[in-house]
Amino acid sequence: MSEHNLYLYNSLTRKKELFKPVTPPNIGMYVCGPTVYGEPHLGHARPAITFDLLFRYLKHLGFKVRYVRNITDVGHLESDADEGEDKILKKARLEQLEPMEVVQLYSDIYHDKMQELNVLRPSIEPRASGHIIEQIQMIQKILDNGYAYVTNGSVYFDVQKYNQKYKYGKLSGRVLEDLLSSDERTEGHIRKLDGQDEKKHPADFALWKKAEVEHIMRWPSPWSDGFPGWHIECSAMGAKYLGEVFDIHGGGIDLLFPHHECEIAQSQAANGKEAVRYWVHNNLITINGQKMGKSLGNFITLEQFFTGKHSLLKKVFTPMTIRFFILQAHYRSTIDFSNESLEASEKGLQRLFKAIHSLEKIIPTEKSTVDIQSIRDKCYAALNDDLNSSVLISHLFDSVKTINLIISGSESISAEDLETFKKLFHIFVFDILGLTEENKQSESDNLLKEVVNLLLNLRQEAKAKKDFATADKIRSDLVGLGFTIKDRKDGYEWEY
RNA sequence: GGUCACGUGGUCGAGUGGCGAGGCAAAGGUCUGCAAAACCUUACUACAGCGGUUCGAAUCCGCUCGUGACCUCCA
């Protein structure tokens, strides 16, 4: 393991902190995964890519990382529904499928899309439905420790009791008293939610919920036939696979409250320990400055990006364009989607890959006029500073310029430096940023290739005869069909 | 109403006290029959507003305006 000093911004302390694993060289990382009741969308891509970058970088630094990312597939209620109906159950009815069939379907699609984005599979991908026993055991521990109570077969976390000994709200900066008063101050009516009158305090949250008769997804427990509360799965599965204290817990900033706040309380109440050392949160992607949401009509699935089939999209955006677009911003900044910004990323990415190809063609000289070592140091410094991929990419673009200057003869590079340079690009572009070159679609279509070459050969003949009218007509007609024609000294190139 | 963020040039997006990150777009140039592409060069044109601290602030502090996220069973 090299001597790198990685600093990460810890949401808990609101500071960048030097990252020190609990038990080096092992690292435990837990990230909140998707709820598999719908198509994966742009909002799923950001946390997946952010923590993929962290996963890749930690491994590159020589750590042995166990990366756990859960799949939520049980009984959670829908806020905009009139009655508390299980999200997954509702979808199942609509599509006439078994609940677990829905879960399987959308899990598969999620995996497909993540693979297209070149997101590495986590080490363990546990499902909430497969860990009911662990969740029940944890709830029992919290009950035994006196931080929960049972009402009508449901179990609630006693936030007031907890707050007497520990501080509830340390992550989100919320104060229990404010949570109370904000309800009272809310104009109009207080939202009347199922089970609200079963709780001692409005801030209490469910650990176990008794299922209504029509509720299909249910499991037996000491308290009732029901299903686990929303926050307990992450606490239970995190502890099971990473231990009672582990290094990194990640997720979207939208999960900070109440989800992660509740996780902290649950783990503390159950095990008497602060479970997580570093809380890492990625920011959101906005569309025209707004959070993406189904109700706002600006909801774009990954499939729609990859096929260009959405009214807000001007064209197809490939998975790598999406990935690069996300990596061009720092993970803690909001990033605003637009066709223009994605097109800019697409072009930038192409330029990066062209330079990598040029790198292979460089012929080394005796001495170097460029400083490869300092580029390398800057790249590491960028990542060590809270995973600043944006700055890293700017250094890579500086290197692109360097490559082009070497090609043009303005600069030169020694064989040894060239090797280092190639290795550096390989490490940062492919291994750490996880960028890959996408295959041109026309590759399989040999017939098309032949036909276009035929036409361009005719054009070459026309040019040789100075018949530029014919040459230009062939070119402009092909361009009209969407081809790009590039004349070369000794021929031509084209792409579609 | 509460909590927390944010407001940077045409645009996207870094930077958190003192040499104007970078991408895209734009302009000029090289190349070329002309283009396209590629590459090179350039813009002293940016830090929401007002005040304060400081030798010096986009960067720290205060206020104002604006935007966003979260605010008890939505993960």
Side-chain angles (χ1 to χ4, degrees), chain A residues 76-109:
Chain A
H76 297 306
L77 303 172
E78 210 163 31
S79 63
D80 52 352
D82 292 333
E83 71 282 7
E85 189 180 16
D86 190 318
K87 258 183 183 176
I88 288 162
L89 172 56
K90 187 177 182 189
K91 195 84 184 176
R93 281 189 189 148
L94 289 172
E95 303 190 358
Q96 298 293 306
L97 292 166
E98 276 296 316
M100 277 301 155
E101 209 174 347
V102 174
V103 165
Q104 187 69 48
L105 174 68
Y106 290 118
S107 299
D108 287 349
I109 297 175

Side-chain angles (χ1 to χ4, degrees), chain A residues 186-192:
Chain A
T186 306
E187 292 199 17
H189 59 283
I190 294 167
R191 278 203 284 164
K192 204 65 186 161

Side-chain angles (χ1 to χ4, degrees), chain A residues 190-202:
Chain A
I190 294 167
R191 278 203 284 164
K192 204 65 186 161
L193 292 161
D194 184 36
Q196 199 62 355
D197 47 0
E198 293 180 347
K199 303 198 303 197
K200 289 191 199 167
H201 186 279

Side-chain angles (χ1 to χ4, degrees), chain A residues 174-192:
Chain A
R174 281 173 171 77
V175 181
L176 189 56
E177 290 71 37
D178 291 344
L179 291 174
L180 240 184
S181 51
S182 70
D183 287 328
E184 289 163 350
R185 230 178 273 135
T186 306
E187 292 199 17
H189 59 283
I190 294 167
R191 278 203 284 164
K192 204 65 186 161

Side-chain angles (χ1 to χ4, degrees), chain A residues 4 53 56-57 60-61 323-324 327 352-353 356 372-384 388-389 391-393 395-396 399 420-436:
Chain A
H4 299 294
L53 174 65
R56 287 167 179 269
Y57 189 50
H60 171 74
L61 292 180
R323 185 174 179 109
F324 191 61
L327 289 170
L352 188 63
F353 276 120
I356 292 171
I372 304 302
Q373 191 63 36
S374 96
I375 295 172
R376 180 182 172 278
D377 293 347
K378 282 182 193 167
C379 287
Y380 277 111
L383 284 179
N384 285 336
N388 200 326
S389 53
V391 168
L392 167 62
I393 288 169
H395 295 318
L396 292 176
S399 305
T420 309
F421 210 9
K422 284 181 186 172
K423 215 156 98 186
L424 181 132
F425 261 84
H426 197 275
I427 287 171
F428 285 100
V429 176
F430 300 113
D431 294 352
I432 296 175
L433 291 175
L435 299 168
T436 56

Side-chain angles (χ1 to χ4, degrees), chain A residues 250-305:
Chain A
I253 201 167
D254 50 328
L255 299 175
L256 197 137
F257 188 87
H259 185 55
H260 292 158
E261 195 72 73
C262 295
E263 275 189 51
I264 289 175
Q266 287 168 165
S267 298
Q268 184 73 258
N271 301 323
K273 287 176 193 161
E274 177 100 42
V276 177
R277 297 283 288 269
Y278 300 86
W279 283 94
V280 179
H281 291 98
N282 65 275
N283 218 315
L284 307 172
I285 291 184
T286 57
I287 293 181
N288 298 322
Q290 275 189 314
K291 187 190 177 183
M292 191 168 62
K294 274 182 175 158
S295 53
L296 298 167
N298 60 0
F299 184 87
I300 309 176
T301 67
L302 291 171
E303 178 67 19
Q304 286 168 332
F305 273 103

Side-chain angles (χ1 to χ4, degrees), chain A residues 145-148 158-166 176 204:
Chain A
N145 292 342
Y147 292 109
D158 192 336
V159 174
Q160 276 178 308
K161 176 82 182 295
Y162 176 83
N163 199 48
Q164 285 167 12
K165 186 165 179 191
Y166 308 102
L176 189 56
D204 291 352

